[in-house]
C-alpha cells in the first residue's frame, strides 16, 4: 500500500523537475536566443533572427556533445524557418561579427514545413541522420516573478 503514494510522489517530482528544466536563453554570437526546441530525444536547439545586413537569416545554436559548448550555425538564405542549409560559424569578439568556419563538418539542414493538420513541423538533418523536432517555442519570461515573486532571502 505504501508503494502507490511513493510512486505518485516520484512521478510528480519528475514532472516538476522536467518543467523546471526550461533552458535559459544563450547568447548566439551577439544575439540572445528567443526560441527553442528539442530534436530527437535530447538535441537542444536555440534560435534567433539575425539583424542588420543579415536580417531575415536565422542563427541556431546546438550543444556540442564533445565540448559541451553551443556551436553556432547560420542559414544560407532568408528562409523564414523553412528548410535551409546552415553553415558553421564562430563569433569574432574583436569585430563583433559571425565568421564562417572553414571546417570538415558538412552543413546541417534545419527547418520546417507547413502541414494542414499540425501546422509547422520541424526536423533537423545531421549528416544522414534526421531527427523530428518539437514545436518551436519562446522562452518563458520571468519578469513578473523577478519583480514580485518570493526570493530565497524573503523573511516570512
Amino acid at each position: 500500500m505504501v508503494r502507490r503514494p511513493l510512486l505518485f510522489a516520484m512521478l510528480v517530482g519528475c514532472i516538476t523537475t522536467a518543467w523546471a528544466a526550461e533552458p535559459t536563453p544563450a547568447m548566439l554570437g551577439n544575439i540572445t536566443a528567443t526560441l527553442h526546441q528539442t530534436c530527437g530525444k535530447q538535441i537542444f536547439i536555440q534560435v534567433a533572427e539575425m539583424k542588420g545586413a543579415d536580417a531575415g537569416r536565422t542563427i541556431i545554436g546546438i550543444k556540442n556533445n564533445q565540448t559541451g559548448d553551443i556551436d553556432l550555425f547560420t542559414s544560407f538564405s532568408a528562409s523564414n524557418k523553412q528548410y535551409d542549409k546552415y553553415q558553421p560559424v564562430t563569433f569574432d569578439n574583436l569585430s563583433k561579427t559571425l565568421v564562417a568556419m572553414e571546417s570538415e563538418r558538412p552543413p546541417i539542414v534545419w527547418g520546417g514545413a507547413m502541414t494542414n493538420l499540425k501546422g509547422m513541423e520541424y526536423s533537423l538533418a545531421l549528416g544522414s541522420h534526421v531527427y523530428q523536432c518539437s514545436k518551436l517555442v519562446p522562452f518563458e519570461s520571468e519578469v513578473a516573478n523577478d519583480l514580485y515573486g518570493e526570493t530565497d532571502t524573503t523573511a516570512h
Side-chain angles (χ1 to χ4, degrees):
M1 296 297 163
V2 175
R3 290 184 183 164
R4 284 188 186 173
L6 178 62
L7 289 174
F8 180 74
M10 287 175 50
L11 178 64
V12 169
C14 290
I15 292 171
T16 305
T17 303
W19 284 336
E22 168 82 12
T24 55
M27 288 301 293
L28 306 178
N30 58 349
I31 304 169
T32 304
T34 56
L35 303 167
H36 66 97
Q37 70 183 167
T38 302
C39 297
K41 293 180 184 173
Q42 55 184 341
I43 302 171
F44 302 106
I45 294 181
Q46 296 196 22
V47 180
E49 293 300 318
M50 298 176 72
K51 301 191 181 347
D54 292 318
R57 292 179 53 206
T58 303
I59 182 169
I60 61 175
I62 304 174
K63 184 176 179 184
N64 184 315
N65 290 333
Q66 294 178 350
T67 65
D69 295 334
I70 294 179
D71 291 344
L72 304 177
F73 301 84
T74 58
S75 62
F76 279 99
S77 61
S79 66
N80 199 20
K81 297 184 193 60
Q82 294 179 354
Y83 290 108
D84 197 0
K85 282 187 179 179
Y86 282 73
Q87 67 184 29
V89 294
T90 186
F91 182 69
D92 179 41
N93 282 316
L94 186 59
S95 66
K96 304 291 184 205
T97 60
L98 294 166
V99 179
M101 292 175 55
E102 297 301 322
S103 171
E104 296 156 13
R105 289 186 291 169
I108 63 171
V109 176
W110 175 82
M114 189 61 79
T115 64
N116 289 337
L117 299 175
K118 295 183 181 178
M120 195 76 143
E121 290 189 333
Y122 292 91
S123 60
L124 171 69
L126 302 174
S128 62
H129 301 276
V130 177
Y131 301 93
Q132 295 304 310
C133 301
S134 64
K135 297 283 184 195
L136 200 54
V137 295
F139 287 95
E140 293 205 19
S141 173
E142 290 294 323
V143 173
N145 189 54
D146 290 344
L147 290 172
Y148 309 112
E150 294 180 350
T151 64
D152 294 334
T153 58
T154 303
H156 296 280

